[in-house]
Amino acid sequence: MKKYKLIKRRGVGTAIVLATAALIGAGCGQPTSKSTAEANVIENLNATSDESNDNDTEAADNTSDEDTLNIEETQKVEEASEETADDASDVNAEESEENQVPALKDSVEKAMNCRFGCEITGQEPWDLGVWDIVTKHFNCVTLGNELKPDSLFGYSNAVCPGTEETELNGETITVPVLNFKNPEKILDKILKWNETHPDQALQVRGHVLLWHSQTPEWFFHEDYDKEKPYVTAEVMDKRQEWYIKSVLEHFVGEDSKYKDLFYGWDVVNEAISDSTGTYRTDTERPDEELSQDTHGGNSSWWHVYQNESFIINAFKYANKYAPESLELYYNDYNECDAKKRGGIIELLKAVKAEEGAPGEGTRITAMGMQGHYSVTGPSSTEFENAIKAYGEVVGNIQITEWDLAASDQYDSSDPESVEAEYEKERKQYNLLYYALKSAQNSGAAKVTGMTFWGTIDKYSWLQFRSNVGGGNKSGQAQCPLLFDSKYEPKPCFWVFAENNAE
């Protein structure tokens, strides 16, 4: 934990220098009253650690009034100058230490030989602190919401945004209007970054083509009107193929400016039930009406088909329209639970059984283990067993949405509780990372990617309530990621930065 404290002290030292500068400014005749100078000192100190209280209080006490004798001011300026030199030396040493903080992507590359990514969404790419973290420590990103169906329909969840005619397999069909502006805003930023920083280029994971949640209910009904009957499975086949074709051609098609950005795509997300361990149906949550604009638990895909054929079809269509170089995944959560793990394995086997050439069969590259865990579970044994089980079926696995929910005891307002929670988090990440490396070293599975679901704690999805499943249900503050809300590395950062972490 020494390195974490050094990074924190850098902020403290900076505040001391700023406070001393305010004292010197007042002594040199600048129009700064005692109250203003003290306010500046206090403001600078408020953003720092409690470790600086004693020294900084002394600095604040040295602030003088305008009518203080010149000789007293001169003495204070000299004293402040000496203190400034000492503090500057400390800060320079600590800045040198911080500059030695390794880029996580390099450490993980050495340890795991896999991609290392994070999730970004909304305005996060325009937060300079976040962008600095993303571009230094990660080599790929997942757009948290922008490539989901509701986003590509312009978030017009209550009603269809309009229709147009298009051709599919020689037949003219009526389809909803797609809107690509949400993802393109972020993708254009990444493109520009890659052009000017080729040595720090980012790749993108597409997320997600087929999902029961965040897909508008009207998409499953006649005339795209949820007040009308559901369409037949045959009609839904055409809609599904059109949607997958349109999205993939737009972003990874031969003429797309984004085609070289994407390395893979989640084809199907969360199609296995938590409660039954089999396929998710339209009654996963009896208290959730299918007439809702979007769903958290129930699947209108299942309601139309009444079987899993739509999952197989999704992988067939993705194989048909994706370039061969684009990896294709299945992605799910609670994936270490033994019962649900069994259902996921059956799904993977069903997809593998239909493998074939583009336009004929399916293709699947890896199993995406979301990794939404907590500081208390799963155990490293459960985690490693799941990795090996999925590896036996598909060969490759990825951790795709990694974070750790806090313990019930966590109190973000209590420094001792924060320190204790950070240590729990460090230990759990360390145990799981060790298991991940162990599973790969055993040859049971190849780990081809690790992605954290966010960058800094304050932007984590676990801080907020969600109407589509998951998220924060208790209102408790969370600290699930590698960087705190002040953009600083936490103790768990060093689990991935140092190969010899204990």
Side-chain angles (χ1 to χ4, degrees):
M1 300 321 99
K2 179 181 178 182
K3 292 179 180 173
Y4 177 65
K5 290 181 179 178
L6 280 172
I7 293 169
K8 288 179 67 179
R9 285 205 299 274
R10 178 182 178 273
V12 175
T14 302
I16 294 173
V17 172
L18 290 172
T20 307
L23 298 177
I24 296 172
C28 294
Q30 294 180 2
T32 305
S33 68
K34 177 176 180 181
S35 60
T36 302
E38 288 182 342
N40 288 339
V41 172
I42 293 170
E43 182 179 357
N44 285 324
L45 296 180
N46 280 342
T48 68
S49 167
D50 291 336
E51 295 176 29
S52 62
N53 283 351
D54 294 339
N55 291 335
D56 297 345
T57 300
E58 180 181 351
D61 290 341
N62 286 338
T63 309
S64 61
D65 291 319
E66 290 182 15
D67 59 355
T68 303
L69 294 176
N70 289 337
I71 187 168
E72 293 175 351
E73 292 292 351
T74 301
Q75 290 173 344
K76 289 179 179 178
V77 168
E78 290 174 351
E79 292 171 359
S81 296
E82 293 175 359
E83 292 176 3
T84 301
D86 292 340
D87 291 331
S89 176
D90 291 341
V91 170
N92 288 337
E94 288 161 7
E95 284 182 338
S96 177
E97 179 77 17
E98 183 181 14
N99 289 335
Q100 296 176 16
V101 172
L104 290 178
K105 58 189 175 186
D106 296 334
S107 299
V108 172
E109 169 66 24
K110 292 177 182 178
M112 300 296 295
N113 190 30
C114 71
R115 300 183 186 91
F116 192 66
C118 64
E119 174 263 356
I120 51 175
T121 193
Q123 294 302 308
E124 291 173 17
W126 286 268
D127 181 320
L128 295 181
V130 166
W131 190 248
D132 286 345
I133 287 172
V134 171
T135 53
K136 176 176 180 177
H137 292 289
F138 302 97
N139 52 34
C140 54
V141 299
T142 300
L143 307 192
N145 287 297
E146 285 74 10
L147 286 168
K148 291 174 180 175
D150 58 354
S151 171
L152 299 186
F153 289 131
Y155 289 112
S156 186
N157 290 342
V159 295
C160 177
T163 61
E164 59 187 6
E165 291 189 344
T166 191
E167 185 176 303
L168 179 70
N169 299 325
E171 178 185 358
T172 299
I173 62 173
T174 301
V175 297
V177 175
L178 288 169
N179 186 331
F180 298 109
K181 69 177 183 179
N182 292 322
E184 286 183 342
K185 184 180 179 181
I186 299 178
L187 296 177
D188 287 341
K189 179 178 178 64
I190 295 173
L191 273 183
K192 184 176 180 180
W193 169 266
N194 288 354
E195 290 170 1
T196 55
H197 302 80
D199 58 330
Q200 293 178 278
L202 296 168
Q203 289 186 295
V204 180
R205 179 191 185 93
H207 178 73
V208 53
L209 295 173
L210 188 146
W211 192 24
H212 70 278
S213 186
Q214 288 186 247
T215 301
E217 176 62 20
W218 52 255
F219 189 52
F220 303 94
H221 293 260
E222 293 179 1
D223 298 326
Y224 304 106
D225 181 349
K226 73 173 189 175
E227 301 301 323
K228 294 185 178 181
Y230 283 90
V231 297
T232 64
E234 290 73 21
V235 171
M236 205 65 217
D237 284 345
K238 297 173 185 177
R239 292 184 180 184
Q240 185 191 47
E241 181 174 1
W242 160 79
Y243 179 81
I244 292 175
K245 174 180 184 290
S246 300
V247 173
L248 291 180
E249 286 184 346
H250 184 84
F251 290 109
V252 294
E254 188 61 34
D255 298 326
S256 174
K257 67 176 180 177
Y258 306 111
K259 64 179 180 179
D260 295 327
L261 276 185
F262 289 86
Y263 68 88
W265 216 290
D266 289 322
V267 178
V268 178
N269 196 46
E270 302 175 2
I272 297 299
S273 166
D274 291 324
S275 58
T276 67
T278 58
Y279 291 103
R280 180 187 298 273
T281 70
D282 50 0
T283 60
E284 175 77 5
R285 294 186 188 168
D287 60 338
E288 181 184 84
E289 299 292 335
L290 281 175
S291 59
Q292 291 180 193
D293 292 340
T294 58
H295 305 302
N298 295 333
S299 173
S300 289
W301 285 105
W302 185 273
H303 188 80
V304 170
Y305 287 86
Q306 294 297 306
N307 58 51
E308 72 277 13
S309 60
F310 65 95
I311 297 171
I312 306 301
N313 288 344
F315 279 95
K316 286 182 177 180
Y317 298 145
N319 187 32
K320 180 177 180 180
Y321 295 108
E324 185 178 357
S325 60
L326 188 75
E327 299 178 1
L328 303 178
Y329 317 117
Y330 175 70
N331 196 52
D332 215 329
Y333 69 102
N334 282 353
E335 71 282 0
C336 295
D337 174 79
K339 181 167 67 173
K340 187 169 182 178
R341 183 182 69 203
I344 293 173
I345 288 173
E346 290 306 309
L347 183 154
L348 297 176
K349 288 180 176 178
V351 174
K352 290 283 292 182
E354 298 286 337
E355 281 186 323
E360 298 177 6
T362 64
R363 176 164 65 87
I364 183 169
T365 310
M367 164 63 192
M369 299 174 62
Q370 288 188 12
H372 290 302
Y373 306 144
S374 77
V375 296
T376 59
S379 70
S380 58
T381 300
E382 291 171 323
F383 184 56
E384 186 169 354
N385 287 343
I387 294 167
K388 291 178 177 179
Y390 298 131
E392 185 176 348
V393 181
V394 293
N396 302 325
I397 71 98
Q398 298 185 350
I399 310 301
T400 61
E401 304 182 19
W402 214 352
D403 54 21
L404 296 182
S407 66
D408 293 339
Q409 295 75 36
Y410 176 54
D411 180 356
S412 60
S413 66
D414 179 2
E416 291 186 1
S417 177
V418 171
E419 184 176 357
E421 193 70 22
Y422 280 9
E423 179 61 10
K424 293 176 186 176
E425 185 180 51
R426 184 195 69 81
K427 288 182 177 179
Q428 177 70 339
Y429 271 127
N430 191 51
L431 287 170
L432 298 181
Y433 192 33
Y434 181 86
L436 193 66
K437 290 185 282 189
S438 175
Q440 173 153 288
N441 292 339
S442 73
K446 180 174 177 55
V447 180
T448 58
M450 296 162 52
T451 295
F452 286 82
W453 206 242
T455 50
I456 62 174
D457 284 343
K458 70 179 180 180
Y459 291 152
S460 168
W461 75 298
L462 290 176
Q463 307 286 18
F464 310 99
R465 293 186 179 274
S466 171
N467 293 325
V468 292
N472 193 324
K473 296 179 175 63
S474 67
Q476 180 191 23
Q478 298 286 320
C479 55
L481 299 168
L482 305 184
F483 296 84
D484 65 23
S485 295
K486 295 181 180 179
Y487 308 87
E488 299 288 3
K490 292 157 59 181
C492 58
F493 171 96
W494 297 99
V495 168
F496 301 93
E498 299 179 336
N499 293 335
N500 61 346
E502 296 180 358

